[in-house]
Amino acid sequence: MAKAEKYRLAQIVERFGGEILGDPQTSISQVATLESAGARHIGFLAHSKYNELLAGTRAGAVILGRADSGLTKLTRIVCDDPYLYFAKVSALFNPPQTVTPGVHKTAVVERGTTVPASASIGAGAYVGRRVKLGTGVVIGAGCHLGDGVEIGAASRLYPRVTIYPGCRLGQRVLVHSGAVIGADGFGIVLDNGIWRKIPQLGRVMIGNDVEIGANTCIDRGALGDTVVEDGVKLDNLIQIAHNVHIGAHTAIAGCVGIAGSTRIGKHCMIGGGVGIVGHLDIADRVIIHGGAVVTKSIRKAGTYGGHPAEDSRSWTRNMARLRHLDTLRERIRQIEQQLSLPEEKA
Amino acid sequence: MAKAEKYRLAQIVERFGGEILGDPQTSISQVATLESAGARHIGFLAHSKYNELLAGTRAGAVILGRADSGLTKLTRIVCDDPYLYFAKVSALFNPPQTVTPGVHKTAVVERGTTVPASASIGAGAYVGRRVKLGTGVVIGAGCHLGDGVEIGAASRLYPRVTIYPGCRLGQRVLVHSGAVIGADGFGIVLDNGIWRKIPQLGRVMIGNDVEIGANTCIDRGALGDTVVEDGVKLDNLIQIAHNVHIGAHTAIAGCVGIAGSTRIGKHCMIGGGVGIVGHLDIADRVIIHGGAVVTKSIRKAGTYGGHPAEDSRSWTRNMARLRHLDTLRERIRQIEQQLSLPEEKA
Amino acid sequence: MAKAEKYRLAQIVERFGGEILGDPQTSISQVATLESAGARHIGFLAHSKYNELLAGTRAGAVILGRADSGLTKLTRIVCDDPYLYFAKVSALFNPPQTVTPGVHKTAVVERGTTVPASASIGAGAYVGRRVKLGTGVVIGAGCHLGDGVEIGAASRLYPRVTIYPGCRLGQRVLVHSGAVIGADGFGIVLDNGIWRKIPQLGRVMIGNDVEIGANTCIDRGALGDTVVEDGVKLDNLIQIAHNVHIGAHTAIAGCVGIAGSTRIGKHCMIGGGVGIVGHLDIADRVIIHGGAVVTKSIRKAGTYGGHPAEDSRSWTRNMARLRHLDTLRERIRQIEQQLSLPEEKA
């Protein structure tokens, strides 16, 4: 989408390492899939199951892992991790779009807030009182920033994001359209059969380099804060309840719900649609399969899945067991026949 | 909601077929449930379990299937598919509300975009550069259309919809409030424990006659496009990840999540809350029960469910097996008694 | 967040009951967690598993249940339900923020709508024709109220809420950012393989004292209305389909989906991520565990869970059975050995 510059392969390996097989002067102007690539494009092979695409590609060059370097005679860059290498090359060709600084004439900025000259406030956006905006911040059209919000340098809010009062985002944070940060947590208590609301007094504190997907919700804390540490990546339509704490560099796929006060460790990977009940502790480096329902704390790094979630091995075994029940039933029937026991009807 | 015109039953069967039993001059001005209908209303019976409602209704006429035509002496239209017939009659009485064309004075339309005279741009809406709008398009209040977006004729965006740059919608597309089309896909790759973002360079391409529910998200492709073919119907709060391809005339209920690069066939029906993992192929005419988690490709038309999903028959059998485990346990206990084996404690 | 007034413990027990152990003149200005509390704060102990926090707290006073009154020598209020008591005290110190009445100069209010002098309409909000607003209503920035909407006194919409035409909210209703009320239900019917839209003619009717979470969707009825009775509390990212009826004082956690025409009783509690299929009846006082998939009506008060959902006891038993399958298999193997039957391979 951004207009890409050209680079020679020699310039690319100078930046990112790897080894060129073929002409280092090959000029590339964009990344592409092997299927759609032309002479000016560089493609990549991240998994050997796509090998057959190599034969048909018209890419000017390809990125390959060391083990796959012999699969083609095309001009290529050979490296340790071709998908990561591709990501770096793609980021080189596709830097974030620059946004013209300035406050749109239809935006509203309340008193007590200073907008840095390098920042951009889009059409119809609302910025409350005493809001602190870092240099180069981009606030998309129709965004709403409550009083006292803080947004670190080089962060970008896409259109129609809501940040409730008092919440803080670090630097280089990306927030996609429709996300709601800092709404009241679901804090209610029964009073003779009637739900009484508990004031939600905490904030949402978001670290640096966090990405937050479209229509994702992160509730403010009840007393303390809800915390999302540095480098966390959240997909779309995720629900993070009050006082949840998400450790640095954890990635969470779409449609996940995490109930109140649960702590997720660092470097975790949580698959799509997972539900995690409240007040649990999930250790660092835990991987949870999509669709799992986590009902107990997970104290050890590892891979977990199922409903309720257990470590992957038990879960797979249980599923297999279920499928073998017919076999068990048949064996019992045969024993009963041999013993002339009356067969039970299912 | 729209003010409905009157039609005589004779006029209705002239349009939609079916057979009148009773007075063809009966005048009808609106559809209604059997319970709430009055003399000017036409009701319908779509399922024989609601038979008893026929006795009490005060509807001026009812729509019935051929097998049910004798259940009442009321004036009635007898037809093959009473629910479909009702839908047609309801659409006749309740055409889409017309919207006055024009650009609201608080809307922002950037240079390079021409708004057709027949189109309507609501209050506070933002329309970027080089946007192409078909005739009769309605852009609701507070919508956001990024640069280069294309919207086909007679499409309608309800208030507060976001379309990211470069995405295309066909003709007669309806998008409900809060939907986000074209946000970045969840493309990240590990670089020494740190997630690195992969630029999302594709678009979202949506066909004709598609409906997209409230707060549903459809991410743009990573390299190629995310595609939603003609006639697809998406309910609310659905997540469609990057590079998903949804075949024509597939219907997907609320809260479904479809992970990246999965291909769904044509004429599928996917129940509420289903999760489908990435890089799968789902054949045409597949029906998936609500709540299923689909972890493998489905190569054959049919009905599937469960977690992990399997064909419906296996799934139902497994659930039944689980419930009969106590019976199995008891049979083993009896065998053990007879053999005087030591009984194991559970 | 709001600046809190000071209260003496004696004033607090005068309002809410309970018994002071220690100095009734102790002055308190805010609630806090036991860990973060200082001399001017009151903390609480709701569960004895947090007992050890009592020893370390620097709170000026604490709220305790009668059984725990001896656990500390700190100044304390002893009462029947310390969590409820805390909620009341917190509400005393943190009343809802007052909003300055008036219509923001960038808001749009259509003809035929009168805004009460006590009401507030935020920046960029849109209020359609013939909208009825009660006294003290707060409509947040960027909200959209369709024609004929009614909002009862003292209700508050946070920024960026959409209410489709004709929907009604009662008094003291709170709606969080991004919620969409009254979008079309997912009403479609097959016509020779093509989905035909059924006009959605009903409304959404919401009672008094309801709270609706961020990005939650409540669809309008197809013929009759979708109804949410008094005192219902809905968390974030919930999908309520057309013609659902939710009984008074029911609480529903995040990411729940309820399909069309299902009736939920009064005083129910539905855990996070639950899916409930359409056309079911759920009795009063039903509790459903997080992650359950409810496929049949529930006729009796009680606790339910699982996929498909069953009463909690059966569900727990089934899960245990699954885990004990290996034991069963081993017992069969031993019997077979004793009988010299050929052992089946798994």
Side-chain angles (χ1 to χ4, degrees), chain A residues 160 176-177 236 326 341, chain B residues 162 164 197 219 321 331 338:
Chain A
R160 297 205 306 100
H176 282 282
S177 193
N236 300 345
D326 270 359
L341 280 173
Chain B
T162 300
Y164 277 58
K197 181 176 175 70
D219 282 348
R321 281 167 186 158
R331 283 158 68 182
Q338 174 156 350

Side-chain angles (χ1 to χ4, degrees), chain B residues 94-97 99 136-140 143 151-159 161 163 169-181 206-216 218 228 231-236, chain C residues 164 183-188 195-200:
Chain B
N94 305 281
Q97 255 185 308
V99 176
V137 158
V138 177
I139 306 297
C143 283
I151 315 264
S155 287
R156 178 170 185 171
L157 277 53
Y158 283 86
V161 166
I163 318 276
L169 281 65
Q171 301 186 358
R172 296 172 304 280
V173 171
L174 291 180
V175 188
H176 282 281
S177 193
V180 177
I181 296 172
I206 291 174
N208 298 322
D209 301 299
V210 170
E211 183 162 354
I212 297 170
N215 284 344
T216 279
I218 307 177
V228 177
V232 168
K233 306 296 179 185
L234 302 177
D235 197 357
N236 300 345
Chain C
Y164 276 59
D184 282 351
F186 197 56
I188 53 177
W195 294 104
R196 187 181 276 272
K197 183 177 174 69
I198 301 170
Q200 302 292 298

Side-chain angles (χ1 to χ4, degrees), chain B residues 178-207:
Chain B
V180 177
I181 296 172
D184 283 349
F186 197 55
I188 53 177
V189 57
L190 275 175
D191 185 3
N192 283 313
I194 306 297
W195 294 104
R196 187 181 275 272
K197 181 176 175 70
I198 301 170
Q200 302 292 298
L201 307 173
R203 297 163 300 173
V204 177
M205 307 296 276
I206 291 174

Side-chain angles (χ1 to χ4, degrees), chain A residues 202-217:
Chain A
R203 296 164 299 173
V204 177
M205 307 296 275
I206 291 174
N208 299 322
D209 301 298
V210 170
E211 183 162 355
I212 297 170
N215 284 345
T216 280
C217 300

